Amino acid sequence: MELKLARDLIEEIPHLMAKVKEEKPLIHHITNFVVMNDTANLTLVYGALPVMAHAIEEVEEMVGIAQALILNPGTLTPSWVESMIKAGKRANELGIPIILDPVGAGATRLRTESNLRLLKELKVTVLRGNPGEIAALMGNSGLVKGVESVGKISNLEDIIYKFATSSGLIVAATGERDIISDGERIVAIDNGHSWLRTITGTGCMSTTAVAVFCAVTDDSLLGTMAGLTTFEIAAEMAAPKAIGPQSFKVALLDVLYNLTPEDVINRSKIYYLR
Amino acid sequence: MELKLARDLIEEIPHLMAKVKEEKPLIHHITNFVVMNDTANLTLVYGALPVMAHAIEEVEEMVGIAQALILNPGTLTPSWVESMIKAGKRANELGIPIILDPVGAGATRLRTESNLRLLKELKVTVLRGNPGEIAALMGNSGLVKGVESVGKISNLEDIIYKFATSSGLIVAATGERDIISDGERIVAIDNGHSWLRTITGTGCMSTTAVAVFCAVTDDSLLGTMAGLTTFEIAAEMAAPKAIGPQSFKVALLDVLYNLTPEDVINRSKIYYLR
Amino acid sequence: MELKLARDLIEEIPHLMAKVKEEKPLIHHITNFVVMNDTANLTLVYGALPVMAHAIEEVEEMVGIAQALILNPGTLTPSWVESMIKAGKRANELGIPIILDPVGAGATRLRTESNLRLLKELKVTVLRGNPGEIAALMGNSGLVKGVESVGKISNLEDIIYKFATSSGLIVAATGERDIISDGERIVAIDNGHSWLRTITGTGCMSTTAVAVFCAVTDDSLLGTMAGLTTFEIAAEMAAPKAIGPQSFKVALLDVLYNLTPEDVINRSKIYYLR
């Protein structure tokens, strides 16, 4: 099957990039300890502003001045989940988009149940995870090792579509090919580089990228696309400059900082599947 | 107005740099999750030793073997603030300098009130923040977005001077031009580079730099100056070696590690304003 | 005394490196905030998978799918120690190796006592620390400044041997010369580079390296050796590529990612002392 390049989506991305730099949205992260530094730096590289705040006494107030909320229970405890619920409810009242990264769902009951609870009690805008995590939230366990997706999921496209249809949220499973659906359209992104798997937190970073763009547009499918594609194009451009995982990480953020509209237009591999 | 270079201060800095390397002071950080790794590395680059310890059961004992205490409530919860108070009281008893970085003061009530409480219950030696945070602690809100200072504060020099005069502590607001006062003198530092704003934690890192020098001198105004100037000179020297924020960060710490007395003497832009 | 190269051990290391890449063991870290990102990245560089999980509600389940457990109380609180105990007991039931890094033992009572409790309540496989920390756990205090070993310990070899003999675990004290004993043999490793002391977390990283190899072999002395030697050889090879601590850190992980069997065979300086 020949895939159809989603030119209409691709052409919007450079406008959103400019909008981020102009509006400098505040991205409120309630996230894990491992990636806090990296995701804060990624937020700044796009021209947005990061804030990490998890105290239950301040999360409502903090999200009230933010333009997007990231919930990432990668090093969760029950009290952090309570803060996420509280921040999320306030975000819902205010119409601020919530991006959920269900790190390690499927690996332990605490992770699976906490993520399901977040999905139940909050109106999440975008769910961004790896295929194993997404499948676990649909009841298919055994595909997550720690926080990594293992094994092949043959019918990933159907799972994502069904999940999006039944939940009303945008579901994005990232991997060699990203599959994203809003319950109507299904889109694939074929950008990226295998070295993204050699450094920690690249999934979490892609979630931050999604949040940065969803903070400046109401079209959350487009925002999701823009975040994932720009991040993955930067990975492709960084790889030839690197000799190992750490020089790749340095180059990834440097390249992203210098990413041009031309890079995006020429390199985006976004396709409509349905 | 022509500014007068503070040569007497500048010439002291290389001696302090040598003293740090010789005495290897222990810098006890009670700080935020985002910057722990970066500020530990910065401490080592100067030749000092970092320790991160926040358990209320050990902070008194830990600060008792330290030469400076950093309080940085950037990812605060009330229990962390209690540990800060306990460590700070012990530091006061022992005469160990306390450097406070009021991250995000003005953004939420919890942050503003916690920082005011630390200032009230402890004898802080140096308060190092961005202009918005400092203004917030003086009652001028609305200038902090997350943890970033936004908007122009026209009378910053007066605010800093009044704050220092009324509080008896050294107040340092850093930005394109740093303004520092001990309630008598007002000093400006014009070193630094705009790329410092493209990576997270550079404010926190400059606070660590201040603590490293205050650990080896009783002249805390000089210590503050030495920390800020050396850090910012390294940023100036690192920028031409970098192609983006992450290669800048790598170069920043590398340059600082190799900083010579001549670099400091030739590049310091410290001026007496009053 | 002429030292005898431990060729039999050295020749096993390349096989273990291949085994790690093939089996991709999951390394469950309950570790400190400062090094989480670095140790996760190190785990990936070897080809293993990291997971950081500390909630008492999930540690038993998480360690149940892991192949090694790291306990590193570098930013401990009592509740984290409880999680370590719980995870450790489950690891013991399942026969999963536990690697303990007693960060800052000797610096405060909380640190010394918590580490002694972990050693008493759990069957630890490998204890990896700096000489001051190890000595502190044997009752010789005053050799730890924050989390750094200070002062010379003249009879380190005897201390390590006695500790290993009396405890039945493998004890590894790392420094310019590493001393490791399983209570029968005593081995020295002379690899490494002084720049390892200019970045934070290199001790913690070497602990992770040990865990990665102990996850794929029952010969824990060999696993310990393999972890320390490969990490330290990478440091030697990275140093000439670096101009300061941060470029050294980037090169360290890049080199390790590209480390060949020949590098290990040609550079390993592992000696039998007894």
Side-chain angles (χ1 to χ4, degrees):
Chain A
M1 184 178 79
E2 203 171 326
L3 293 172
K4 187 186 155 207
L5 211 57
R7 292 210 180 279
D8 56 330
L9 288 173
I10 293 169
E11 281 168 12
E12 290 300 318
I13 297 176
H15 302 295
L16 288 184
M17 288 168 66
K19 209 171 171 200
V20 169
K21 286 178 173 45
E22 191 193 318
E23 297 185 6
K24 297 183 183 308
L26 182 66
I27 313 300
H28 180 186
H29 291 68
I30 307 183
T31 189
N32 72 73
F33 301 125
V34 184
V35 304
M36 281 189 185
N37 190 272
D38 290 337
T39 53
N41 276 324
L42 185 74
T43 308
L44 289 168
V45 157
Y46 276 113
L49 299 177
V51 70
M52 272 63 184
H54 66 284
I56 200 151
E57 292 84 358
E58 74 166 348
V59 289
E60 289 177 301
E61 204 177 342
M62 191 63 92
V63 79
I65 57 170
Q67 281 71 50
L69 173 65
I70 290 172
L71 303 180
N72 175 325
T75 51
L76 81 173
T77 57
S79 74
W80 279 66
V81 176
E82 292 308 324
S83 288
M84 291 182 184
I85 294 283
K86 197 159 198 175
K89 287 192 171 164
R90 184 70 184 137
N92 282 165
E93 283 172 18
L94 297 170
I96 294 163
I98 299 176
I99 321 299
L100 174 62
D101 188 333
V103 180
T108 66
R109 275 185 304 273
L110 179 68
R111 286 173 192 250
T112 307
E113 286 167 12
S114 297
N115 281 294
L116 288 173
R117 187 179 160 211
L118 291 169
L119 284 170
K120 190 178 168 197
E121 297 197 21
L122 303 176
K123 189 182 154 8
V124 168
T125 312
V126 183
L127 175 70
R128 200 296 315 161
N130 64 43
E133 290 160 348
I134 305 281
L137 296 175
M138 291 289 280
N140 309 10
S141 58
L143 297 160
V144 175
K145 187 171 174 185
V147 296
E148 302 290 327
S149 190
V150 292
K152 257 301 193 236
I153 300 170
S154 54
N155 58 338
L156 181 63
E157 205 178 302
D158 287 341
I159 289 177
I160 300 301
Y161 182 73
K162 273 182 204 159
F163 200 154
T165 307
S166 65
S167 65
L169 47 84
I170 290 168
V171 181
T174 56
E176 203 172 329
R177 162 171 288 184
D178 305 336
I179 305 288
I180 304 106
S181 177
D182 62 356
E184 296 186 15
R185 290 169 290 181
I186 305 179
V187 186
I189 304 178
D190 280 355
N191 292 110
H193 193 276
S194 62
W195 275 11
L196 287 171
R197 287 193 295 273
T198 66
I199 49 174
T200 194
T202 50
C204 305
M205 289 166 85
S206 73
T207 298
T208 289
V210 167
V212 162
F213 286 96
C214 286
V216 298
T217 176
D218 290 332
D219 184 345
S220 304
L221 184 68
L222 174 62
T224 303
M225 234 46 79
L228 297 179
T229 308
T230 50
F231 183 68
E232 293 171 8
I233 287 173
E236 292 169 11
M237 294 171 67
K241 300 173 193 280
I243 55 168
Q246 281 299 304
S247 53
F248 172 68
K249 183 176 166 183
V250 170
L252 173 64
L253 289 170
D254 278 359
V255 166
L256 202 43
Y257 181 78
N258 293 301
L259 201 71
T260 66
E262 290 70 35
D263 294 329
V264 174
I265 298 295
N266 294 335
R267 287 176 170 269
S268 289
K269 294 181 188 161
I270 307 179
Y271 304 101
Y272 287 118
L273 298 186
R274 224 185 278 185
Chain B
M1 184 178 75
E2 202 170 327
L3 292 172
K4 186 186 154 209
L5 212 56
R7 293 207 180 278
D8 55 330
L9 287 173
I10 294 169
E11 281 168 11
E12 291 299 319
I13 298 175
H15 302 296
L16 289 184
M17 288 169 66
K19 209 172 170 198
V20 169
K21 285 179 175 45
E22 192 193 318
E23 298 185 4
K24 297 185 182 309
L26 182 67
I27 313 300
H28 180 186
H29 291 68
I30 306 181
T31 190
N32 72 71
F33 300 124
V34 184
V35 304
M36 282 189 186
N37 190 271
D38 290 337
T39 54
N41 276 324
L42 185 74
T43 308
L44 288 168
V45 157
Y46 276 114
L49 300 178
V51 70
M52 274 60 185
H54 67 284
I56 199 152
E57 291 84 359
E58 73 166 349
V59 289
E60 289 176 301
E61 204 177 341
M62 191 62 93
V63 79
I65 56 169
Q67 282 71 50
L69 173 64
I70 290 172
L71 303 180
N72 175 323
T75 50
L76 81 173
T77 57
S79 73
W80 279 66
V81 176
E82 293 307 324
S83 288
M84 291 182 183
I85 293 282
K86 197 158 198 175
K89 287 194 172 163
R90 184 69 184 139
N92 282 166
E93 283 171 18
L94 297 169
I96 293 164
I98 298 175
I99 321 300
L100 174 62
D101 188 332
V103 181
T108 66
R109 275 186 304 274
L110 179 68
R111 287 174 190 250
T112 307
E113 286 167 12
S114 297
N115 281 294
L116 288 173
R117 187 180 160 210
L118 291 169
L119 285 170
K120 191 178 168 196
E121 297 196 22
L122 302 175
K123 190 182 154 7
V124 167
T125 311
V126 183
L127 175 70
R128 202 294 317 160
N130 65 42
E133 290 161 346
I134 305 279
L137 295 176
M138 292 287 280
N140 308 12
S141 59
L143 297 160
V144 175
K145 186 171 174 186
V147 297
E148 302 291 328
S149 190
V150 293
K152 258 305 196 229
I153 300 170
S154 54
N155 57 339
L156 181 62
E157 205 178 303
D158 287 341
I159 289 177
I160 300 301
Y161 183 72
K162 272 182 206 160
F163 199 154
T165 306
S166 65
S167 65
L169 49 82
I170 291 168
V171 181
T174 56
E176 203 172 330
R177 163 170 287 184
D178 305 335
I179 305 287
I180 304 107
S181 179
D182 62 357
E184 296 186 15
R185 289 169 292 181
I186 305 179
V187 187
I189 304 178
D190 280 356
N191 292 110
H193 193 276
S194 62
W195 274 11
L196 287 171
R197 286 194 294 273
T198 64
I199 49 174
T200 195
T202 50
C204 305
M205 288 167 86
S206 72
T207 298
T208 289
V210 168
V212 162
F213 286 96
C214 286
V216 298
T217 176
D218 290 332
D219 184 344
S220 304
L221 184 67
L222 175 61
T224 303
M225 233 47 79
L228 297 178
T229 309
T230 50
F231 183 69
E232 293 171 8
I233 287 174
E236 292 171 10
M237 294 171 67
K241 300 172 193 282
I243 56 169
Q246 281 299 304
S247 53
F248 172 68
K249 184 176 166 182
V250 171
L252 174 63
L253 288 170
D254 277 0
V255 165
L256 201 44
Y257 180 77
N258 294 301
L259 202 70
T260 66
E262 291 69 37
D263 295 330
V264 174
I265 297 295
N266 295 336
R267 287 176 170 271
S268 289
K269 293 182 188 160
I270 307 179
Y271 303 101
Y272 287 116
L273 297 186
R274 221 184 279 183
Chain C
M1 185 179 75
E2 203 170 325
L3 292 173
K4 188 187 153 207
L5 212 56
R7 291 210 181 279
D8 56 329
L9 287 172
I10 293 169
E11 281 168 12
E12 290 299 319
I13 298 176
H15 301 296
L16 289 184
M17 289 168 66
K19 209 172 170 199
V20 169
K21 286 178 173 46
E22 191 193 319
E23 297 184 5
K24 298 185 182 306
L26 182 66
I27 314 299
H28 180 186
H29 292 67
I30 306 182
T31 190
N32 72 72
F33 300 125
V34 184
V35 304
M36 280 188 186
N37 190 273
D38 290 336
T39 53
N41 277 323
L42 185 73
T43 308
L44 289 167
V45 157
Y46 277 112
L49 300 178
V51 70
M52 273 62 184
H54 67 284
I56 200 151
E57 292 83 359
E58 73 165 350
V59 289
E60 289 178 300
E61 204 177 343
M62 191 62 91
V63 80
I65 57 168
Q67 281 70 52
L69 172 65
I70 289 172
L71 302 180
N72 175 323
T75 51
L76 81 175
T77 57
S79 74
W80 279 65
V81 176
E82 292 308 324
S83 288
M84 291 182 184
I85 294 281
K86 197 158 197 176
K89 287 192 172 163
R90 184 70 183 136
N92 283 166
E93 283 171 17
L94 297 169
I96 294 163
I98 299 177
I99 321 298
L100 173 63
D101 189 332
V103 182
T108 66
R109 274 185 304 274
L110 179 69
R111 286 173 190 250
T112 307
E113 286 166 11
S114 297
N115 281 293
L116 287 173
R117 186 180 160 211
L118 291 168
L119 284 171
K120 190 177 166 197
E121 297 196 21
L122 302 176
K123 189 181 153 10
V124 168
T125 310
V126 183
L127 175 71
R128 202 295 315 163
N130 63 42
E133 290 160 348
I134 304 279
L137 295 175
M138 292 286 279
N140 309 10
S141 59
L143 297 160
V144 175
K145 188 172 174 185
V147 296
E148 302 290 329
S149 190
V150 293
K152 258 296 193 239
I153 300 171
S154 53
N155 58 337
L156 182 62
E157 206 179 301
D158 288 341
I159 290 177
I160 301 302
Y161 183 73
K162 273 181 206 159
F163 200 154
T165 307
S166 63
S167 65
L169 49 82
I170 291 168
V171 181
T174 56
E176 202 172 328
R177 163 171 287 184
D178 305 336
I179 306 287
I180 304 106
S181 178
D182 62 356
E184 296 185 15
R185 289 170 291 181
I186 305 179
V187 187
I189 304 177
D190 280 355
N191 292 110
H193 194 278
S194 61
W195 273 12
L196 286 171
R197 287 194 294 273
T198 66
I199 49 174
T200 196
T202 50
C204 305
M205 289 166 86
S206 72
T207 299
T208 290
V210 167
V212 162
F213 286 95
C214 287
V216 298
T217 176
D218 290 332
D219 183 345
S220 304
L221 184 68
L222 174 62
T224 303
M225 235 44 80
L228 297 180
T229 308
T230 50
F231 183 67
E232 294 171 7
I233 287 173
E236 292 170 11
M237 293 172 67
K241 301 173 193 279
I243 56 168
Q246 281 300 304
S247 53
F248 171 68
K249 183 176 166 182
V250 170
L252 174 63
L253 289 170
D254 278 359
V255 166
L256 202 44
Y257 181 77
N258 294 301
L259 201 71
T260 65
E262 290 69 37
D263 295 329
V264 174
I265 297 294
N266 296 334
R267 287 176 170 271
S268 288
K269 294 182 188 160
I270 307 179
Y271 303 101
Y272 288 116
L273 298 186
R274 220 184 279 186

